[in-house]
Amino acid sequence: MAIFTHQFSGIVTSIFPTKHAFGLLTDNGLEVLVHIGLDTVALNGVPFSVKITEGQRVKAGELLVVADLAAIRSAGRETTIIVAFTNTAEIKAVNLTQTGKSFC
């Protein structure tokens, strides 16, 4: 199992129907897209338990999603997690100050 939290406060802007990806807007205006696994849309949300709703305000450290990485692997999918910033034209710099645990 992988449990996904975050290190900033903001608003949940979208949750894909298949629960494998979601968008956040930080209080600083950064748009963040989190995509769990590769080609996991085909799993129709089965290995994911979303703990948030669209429009919800979230605080740093709050639980967002629980993903069953073993189920993703057994379905022949990669467990790579992609974090993308979708409003890069407005971003001057991004500094990675901390990384979390590796679940792969």
Side-chain angles (χ1 to χ4, degrees):
M1 273 315 151
I3 298 171
F4 298 95
T5 62
H6 55 98
Q7 298 304 310
F8 52 81
S9 296
I11 301 292
V12 179
T13 56
S14 62
I15 301 171
F16 285 64
T18 51
K19 306 176 193 172
H20 74 288
F22 55 92
L24 302 164
L25 176 63
T26 72
D27 288 344
N28 294 334
L30 184 63
E31 294 175 0
V32 181
L33 174 67
V34 179
H35 189 286
I36 305 167
L38 301 179
D39 197 27
T40 51
V41 68
L43 301 177
N44 295 315
V46 173
F48 306 104
S49 177
V50 177
K51 306 299 182 182
I52 52 177
T53 58
E54 285 187 22
Q56 178 181 342
R57 176 152 189 72
V58 292
K59 295 180 182 178
E62 199 168 332
L63 178 62
L64 304 175
V65 176
V66 176
D68 185 341
L69 298 180
I72 294 170
R73 279 190 216 88
S74 70
R77 305 299 194 265
E78 294 289 327
T79 56
T80 300
I81 299 163
I82 300 166
V83 177
F85 306 112
T86 58
N87 61 337
T88 56
E90 300 172 28
I91 300 170
K92 293 180 183 176
V94 174
N95 296 314
L96 181 61
T97 58
Q98 179 180 353
T99 61
K101 296 178 183 177
S102 176
F103 296 100
C104 299

